[in-house]
């Protein structure tokens, strides 16, 4: 527990803490991760067939239904003790935490971190696939999988960031600013495989912040970590932040 005690001290003393979360953050809520060998979504599904714009254009119903299924599953789960600890910290220390998440599940927001920077969008929302024309009206959608504009055929798509797509510019800029200016970054439950999100840990390190990893497994981001806590998010965060 020595490392944990040290990190608790860093949390207490930090002027500004950036927290970068990934799918492992929600694992204890019952949301599958992407890259875990047995239970990860990408162990069973090919991301190129489900998480790219070209996959959606080729098989809109298949991709829409897969996201609809995940959305329904996420609606049925609850934020865990890790989400709650982050939300409580933000409430008790206004302005000291920037929460950056790759998760599209909305669990941070439901726990109370309503200003979490959602780098990969939100699975609860959808948007137009192509730039909407005057005929593309939400109040006149043709129901279906996916719903469409009955006039021009423009499709609704999940409002998540797919492989090869740009991240929302405002959220990414705010995240990069936090990574440059924090003095402590907690990296929780991410494999560190997907950029630009993973690069935020390097930015924080290069800018002089301490980086702490919370993950039962090793990741490539361990290279810049001051300490790696091999624990789960729901167990570790309440201890670190409480
Ligand atoms: N607590 C903390 N970490 C955990 C837990 C847990 N309870 N369970 C699993 N992990 C760790 C795993 O060891 C792994 O390193 O969480 C990580 C999950 O990694 P990924 O499945 O790759 O998820 P993530 O890093 O968020 O993926 C990034 O890839 O396909 C995409 O867009 C998707 O946002 C996602 C991005």
């Amino acid at each position: 527990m020595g490392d944990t005690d040290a990190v608790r001290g860093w949390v207490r003393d930090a002027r500004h803490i950036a927290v970068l979360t990934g799918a492992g953050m929600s694992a204890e809520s019952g949301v599958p991760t992407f890259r875990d060998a047995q239970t990860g979504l990408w162990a069973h599904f090919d991301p190129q067939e489900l998480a790219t714009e070209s996959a959606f254009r080729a098989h809109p119903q298949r991709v829409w239904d897969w996201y609809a299924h995940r959305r329904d599953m996420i609606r049925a789960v609850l934020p865990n003790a890790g989400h709650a600890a982050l939300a409580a910290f933000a409430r008790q220390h206004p302005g000291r935490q920037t929460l950056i998440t790759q998760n599209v599940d909305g669990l941070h927001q439901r726990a109370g971190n309503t200003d979490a920077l959602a780098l990969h969008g939100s699975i609860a929302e959808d948007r137009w696939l192509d730039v909407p024309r005057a005929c593309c009206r939400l109040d006149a959608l043709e129901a279906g999988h996916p719903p469409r504009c009955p006039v021009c055929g423009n499709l609704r798509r999940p409002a998540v960031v797919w492989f090869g797509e740009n991240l929302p510019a405002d959220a990414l800029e705010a995240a990069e600013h936090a990574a440059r200016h924090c003095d402590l970054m907690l990296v929780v439950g991410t494999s560190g495989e997907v950029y630009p999100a993973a690069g935020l840990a390097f930015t924080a390190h290069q800018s002089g912040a301490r980086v702490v990893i919370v993950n039962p497994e090793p990741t490539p981001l361990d290279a810049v970590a001051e300490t790696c806590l091999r624990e789960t998010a729901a167990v570790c965060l309440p201890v670190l932040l409480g």
Side-chain angles (χ1 to χ4, degrees):
M1 284 308 269
D3 279 356
T4 305
D5 287 341
V7 179
R8 277 172 59 85
W10 300 343
V11 167
R12 200 179 45 237
D13 296 342
R15 193 180 26 80
H16 198 84
I17 304 177
V19 184
L20 171 65
T21 68
M25 180 76 226
S26 299
E28 288 149 292
S29 291
V31 182
T33 64
F34 293 95
R35 292 179 183 75
D36 281 275
Q38 304 301 323
T39 56
L41 292 173
W42 298 154
H44 303 282
F45 301 101
D46 179 354
Q48 294 305 319
E49 287 181 12
L50 290 166
T52 65
E53 184 187 319
S54 58
F56 184 73
R57 287 187 186 278
H59 300 287
Q61 172 156 6
R62 179 163 77 193
V63 174
W64 179 266
D65 286 347
W66 189 70
Y67 278 89
H69 168 73
R70 284 179 56 209
R71 195 180 53 222
D72 292 347
M73 185 263 290
I74 284 164
R75 239 190 241 130
V77 304
L78 293 171
N80 63 49
H83 297 106
L86 287 166
F89 187 90
R91 217 173 30 248
Q92 288 156 12
H93 303 272
R96 275 184 70 209
Q97 182 200 74
T98 301
L99 178 53
I100 307 160
T101 188
Q102 299 165 85
N103 298 344
V104 298
D105 57 31
L107 290 176
H108 283 306
Q109 293 82 348
R110 279 168 60 192
N113 279 118
T114 48
D115 56 357
L117 300 170
L119 294 183
H120 293 170
S122 163
I123 200 167
E125 290 159 39
D126 47 57
R127 63 179 176 84
W128 292 108
L129 175 61
D130 293 314
V131 178
R133 305 163 185 94
C135 56
C136 299
R137 288 179 25 212
L138 289 178
D139 59 357
L141 283 178
E142 183 181 308
H145 300 235
R148 65 178 63 227
C149 170
V151 180
C152 72
N154 198 0
L155 301 177
R156 299 296 289 174
R157 56 158 280 183
V160 299
V161 176
W162 282 326
F163 289 105
E165 295 187 319
N166 290 330
L167 276 58
D170 290 356
L172 181 58
E173 201 176 304
E176 282 170 344
H177 182 272
R180 276 196 304 274
H181 296 284
C182 64
D183 41 8
L184 176 64
M185 176 180 272
L186 305 180
V187 179
V188 185
T190 179
S191 61
E193 301 282 351
V194 175
Y195 285 75
L200 295 167
F202 292 95
T203 302
H205 174 68
Q206 281 155 13
S207 307
R210 285 191 170 108
V211 175
V212 172
I213 310 267
V214 178
N215 195 317
E217 302 294 332
T219 77
L221 304 182
D222 297 1
V224 293
E226 194 96 0
T227 299
C228 299
L229 301 175
R230 299 276 174 239
E231 295 178 53
T232 68
V235 170
C236 191
L237 290 177
V239 179
L240 294 185
L241 302 172

